[in-house]
Amino acid sequence: MSYEMIAVLMFSTMLLMMITGQRVFGAIGFVAVVAAILLWGPGGSDMGFSSVMKLMKWNALLTLPMFVFMGYVMSETRLAEDLYKMFHVWFGPLPGGLAVGTILLMVMISAMNGLSVAGMAIGATIALPELVKRNYDKLMISGVIQGGSSLGILIPPSVVLVLYAQIARQPVSQLWLAGLMPGLLMAFFFVVYIAVRCWLSPSLAPRMSAEERAAISWGERIRLLRAGLLPVVIFGAMMIPFVKGWTSLTEASVVGALTTVIAAAIKGRFTREVFEVATRSTLAITTMFMLIIMAALSFGAVFDGLGAGRAIENFFVRDLGLSAWQILVLMQLSFLIMGMFLDDTAMLVIVAPIYVGLAKALGFDLIWYGILYTITCQIAYLTPPFGYNLFLMRAMAPADFTLPMIYRSVFPFVMVMIFTLIVLMIFPEIALWLPEKLI
């Protein structure tokens, strides 16, 4: 059997195991170890062992539990409540003001935890009831919360970019800086869409009444405005020492987690129950990520040994005669299609090792390509039938938010994301300017 056919057989077997409901790390690791032993004999089992040792040496991976812990502390202690009240008071009189405030809330939450799950949890528990109470359109509510929560994997400190950095061997600091401007640009496009849509159809988002505005004193408004400084303090405490070179990436993540805990304790919300829930959840998520990455390293080693990456490159360039940009577009389209069936982590560990090498061979900047991949993951989060955020929204929303309605609600926000992706492909400087300026 040719090496190409072996690679196809490995890939199809892995996908078949996932379709039948096997755990992601089990499917990837099983195919990798069995293929290695069949191809190279008993010595092939060393590939699995070496991937474990390689994983243990990745110091940057220590940031993962810190950021996950930050996200769960934020969610369990409801630190975002005052922040959301501030947006309600200051943006309520505008067309779609509370929906705009929800997007801004998600931006600030993203700057503190780097997880889509945490943003979704905070949006569904804090923003959704307020939007429903003020008679916002349900399609608008669902789309805003899901689209806004996806910003967590693009705006630093993004956990997905940390994982991409391990696979692509790129500096996490540059990837974080590269993700900041595209993340803010996407949030800006969300805000513009919401404002224009609600201006054209005011019934979608009723404004705050004059009586309600008059009932809020200026003292209360200023107090709530001060509450909005908390995310800035946490983000600054974590990022400024890191960018200045005073702390390593791992140390910066610890500073961020500690600052979040101190902020929760000052507000009297950091209880033993919160600590236990956040710690258990962090342990579960971190272990899952490590098992998947370990299995993916083994799979990637076998794939590299077969020369599958070079075979794919030859197929696109030599056999099909495609240009570099045509290949890049095809890669992004394949990510979008896979995103309908796989989550972002599975796509990252299965396909990214192959595509990263291909992107490098085609002469593309791997920092810029990492941002393109992350935006594609955001789209995958919202793409039916198996978008991750779609099911999270259904699980957290009231019963009258049906799954078909949730599917329909994300369409305009997916279009905004695709538009942002196209803009970033045309103007790579949007992502690359900040890391080149600061590093």
Side-chain angles (χ1 to χ4, degrees):
M1 185 181 293
S2 68
Y3 286 153
E4 289 82 0
M5 285 302 300
I6 295 174
V8 170
L9 181 63
M10 285 178 59
F11 199 79
S12 58
T13 303
M14 179 187 62
L15 291 179
L16 180 62
M17 291 183 67
M18 288 186 182
I19 292 172
T20 56
Q22 305 301 319
R23 295 186 182 274
V24 173
F25 77 88
I28 300 172
F30 174 79
V31 172
V33 173
V34 170
I37 293 174
L38 291 176
L39 287 168
W40 295 294
S45 62
D46 288 345
M47 284 186 168
F49 176 76
S50 63
S51 68
V52 175
M53 301 311 297
K54 190 181 297 183
L55 184 71
M56 294 297 106
K57 293 177 182 178
W58 279 352
N59 292 332
L61 205 60
L62 292 171
T63 62
L64 179 61
M66 294 296 106
F67 293 141
V68 174
F69 184 75
M70 284 175 63
Y72 276 105
V73 170
M74 284 287 301
S75 177
E76 295 298 322
T77 58
R78 301 175 70 85
L79 283 178
E81 279 187 349
D82 288 342
L83 184 61
Y84 194 69
K85 290 178 183 176
M86 180 198 77
F87 286 129
H88 170 58
V89 168
W90 285 92
F91 290 90
L94 303 175
L98 206 54
V100 170
T102 301
I103 295 296
L104 298 179
L105 170 73
M106 297 299 186
V107 170
M108 292 195 173
I109 297 304
S110 299
M112 289 186 282
N113 63 72
L115 287 169
S116 174
V117 176
M120 174 64 77
I122 291 170
T125 55
I126 298 175
L128 189 145
E130 294 294 324
L131 292 167
V132 170
K133 186 168 68 176
R134 285 166 176 79
N135 296 317
Y136 269 61
D137 180 75
K138 290 178 182 177
L139 287 175
M140 177 64 71
I141 295 172
S142 175
V144 165
I145 292 176
Q146 291 180 86
S149 66
S150 69
L151 294 169
I153 65 172
L154 185 58
I155 295 175
S158 165
V159 172
V160 171
L161 286 178
V162 173
L163 300 179
Y164 173 85
Q166 309 307 311
I167 291 177
R169 298 293 193 274
Q170 297 298 307
V172 177
S173 57
Q174 292 194 32
L175 283 162
W176 276 359
L177 291 171
L180 182 59
M181 295 301 290
L184 295 177
L185 179 66
M186 184 179 294
F188 172 74
F189 287 153
F190 282 162
V191 168
V192 170
Y193 163 74
I194 292 168
V196 172
R197 180 79 188 281
C198 294
W199 178 69
L200 294 174
S201 304
S203 61
L204 295 177
R207 304 188 190 192
M208 183 192 295
S209 65
E211 294 79 10
E212 192 176 357
R213 290 200 303 272
I216 303 172
S217 66
W218 276 101
E220 177 69 7
R221 297 183 188 190
I222 298 301
R223 186 191 72 79
L224 290 172
L225 193 60
R226 288 200 300 269
L229 295 176
L230 176 62
V232 179
V233 171
I234 295 176
F235 185 71
M238 177 175 57
M239 291 299 294
I240 291 176
F242 175 60
V243 173
K244 291 287 187 180
W246 301 337
T247 62
S248 67
L249 175 64
T250 306
E251 293 165 345
S253 68
V254 175
V255 170
L258 184 60
T259 307
T260 307
V261 170
I262 292 173
I266 290 173
K267 287 183 172 286
R269 300 177 187 173
F270 191 73
T271 63
R272 179 177 177 177
E273 290 77 16
V274 168
F275 177 74
E276 183 174 347
V277 170
T279 303
R280 287 181 180 275
S281 302
T282 299
L283 180 61
I285 296 244
T286 303
T287 304
M288 178 193 69
F289 271 120
M290 292 184 70
L291 287 170
I292 291 175
I293 295 172
M294 182 176 66
L297 288 173
S298 301
F299 192 90
V302 177
F303 243 50
D304 288 342
L306 290 172
R310 180 60 58 86
I312 293 173
E313 180 184 346
N314 289 337
F315 174 73
F316 280 124
V317 178
R318 186 184 61 195
D319 299 341
L320 297 183
L322 300 177
S323 67
W325 277 96
Q326 289 173 324
I327 296 172
L328 180 68
V329 171
L330 285 178
M331 287 193 293
Q332 297 307 109
L333 287 175
S334 68
F335 271 134
L336 290 176
I337 294 171
M338 284 186 290
M340 297 180 183
F341 307 98
L342 301 173
D343 63 37
D344 62 307
T345 308
M347 288 196 299
L348 180 68
V349 298
I350 294 170
V351 186
I354 302 170
Y355 281 7
V356 164
L358 181 56
K360 184 176 181 180
L362 295 172
F364 293 115
D365 188 291
L366 293 186
I367 298 292
W368 171 70
Y369 181 72
I371 304 305
L372 295 185
Y373 161 76
T374 307
I375 294 177
T376 311
C377 283
Q378 289 180 279
I379 298 171
Y381 268 138
L382 304 181
T383 308
F386 299 117
Y388 194 50
N389 276 16
L390 301 172
F391 294 106
L392 283 175
M393 183 68 187
R394 181 63 199 92
M396 296 178 181
D400 52 349
F401 282 75
T402 62
L403 198 57
M405 189 201 75
I406 291 172
Y407 280 177
R408 285 189 290 126
S409 70
V410 299
F411 178 75
F413 291 89
V414 168
M415 291 297 102
V416 171
M417 289 178 173
I418 293 175
F419 176 73
T420 307
L421 180 65
I422 294 171
V423 169
L424 195 63
M425 292 175 70
I426 297 173
F427 303 104
E429 298 81 8
I430 297 174
L432 299 178
W433 176 81
L434 196 58
E436 289 174 356
K437 185 74 173 177
L438 296 181
I439 299 181

